Amino acid sequence: MSPFGWVSEDAQPRLLLVLTLLLAALSVWLSAVGQALVTPEAPLGIVSYEFAGSMDLSSAILASWSAHARAMAMLSLGLDFLYLLVYPAWFSLAAVRVGRGLGAGWRGPGAAVAWGVLLCAPLDAVENHGLIQQLVHGPTDGYARLAWAAAAPKFALVGIAALYLMAAGTTRLLARMRRG
C-alpha cells in the first residue's frame, strides 16, 4: 500500500512533474537565500545551525550572522515550511513510481521508503521551531538539542530515500539497456 494510492496511476506522473518543478524552484530559492548564512562558524550555512546541538555553538553561529543574515535565516526557515511539504512528497512518490516499475522485490522496500520519508515533514517542522525560537529569543541548549534531534533523523531518512532511488533507478536503467 502506497501513500499515493489515492492518486490514479495516470495522474501520478503529472503529480511527480509538479512536485519536481516545485522542488527545483524552492531548492534554488533556498540556496540563494542561504548564501548569506555561510560564515567560518557556519560553513554549511543553515545546516550548520541545524546541527549546532548546543547553546555555545548556536551562539557562535548567530553571532557570526549580520542582521541581514539573520533576516535571511528567518526567510529560509519560513520557506522551509513550504519545502517540508514538497520534498518528502517528491521522494515518496518517486520511490513509489520507481519501485512499481521494477517488480515485487522493489515494491516492498519502495513502499517502506515512501512511507518513512514522509516523517521528514514533522521532523523538519520541529527542527524549524527550535531554530526559530533561538533566532527570536536567543540560543538555549534545549532548543539547540531539539533542532539537532529532529535534523539527524530527517537527514537520515532523506539519505535512505536517495540511496533507494539511486539503486532502483540504476537497476531500472540497466534493465532497459539489456532489453535494448
Side-chain angles (χ1 to χ4, degrees):
M1 185 70 172
S2 128
F4 289 91
W6 57 276
V7 179
S8 75
E9 184 78 25
D10 291 341
Q12 287 183 8
R14 290 187 301 277
L15 177 57
L16 188 59
L17 176 61
V18 169
L19 289 170
T20 300
L21 294 172
L22 285 170
L23 180 66
L26 286 167
S27 295
V28 168
W29 195 4
L30 282 166
S31 178
V33 168
Q35 292 305 306
L37 307 178
V38 175
T39 65
E41 292 78 9
L44 300 175
I46 198 77
V47 175
S48 296
Y49 184 42
E50 292 169 0
F51 281 105
S54 72
M55 182 174 70
D56 291 342
L57 194 47
S58 288
S59 293
I61 290 169
L62 290 174
S64 76
W65 289 346
S66 66
H68 171 74
R70 285 177 181 235
M72 291 296 100
M74 195 60 86
L75 175 59
S76 176
L77 291 166
L79 289 172
D80 196 51
F81 279 104
L82 177 57
Y83 197 64
L84 67 79
L85 298 175
V86 174
Y87 77 84
W90 183 88
F91 274 108
S92 182
L93 184 54
V96 167
R97 299 293 304 162
V98 170
R100 182 176 292 133
L102 288 173
W106 287 89
R107 278 191 208 118
V113 166
W115 283 106
V117 77
L118 294 177
L119 293 173
C120 289
L123 288 167
D124 209 340
V126 167
E127 170 197 309
N128 287 350
H129 173 71
L131 299 175
I132 290 167
Q133 289 301 310
Q134 293 182 94
L135 269 167
V136 172
H137 303 292
T140 66
D141 278 325
Y143 280 123
R145 287 185 189 127
L146 177 67
W148 183 93
K154 174 193 79 172
F155 278 103
L157 288 167
V158 168
I160 290 166
L163 288 172
Y164 173 81
L165 289 175
M166 287 188 286
T170 301
T171 300
R172 195 168 179 182
L173 180 63
L174 291 173
R176 283 185 183 171
M177 290 171 62
R178 276 188 237 127
R179 282 183 273 166

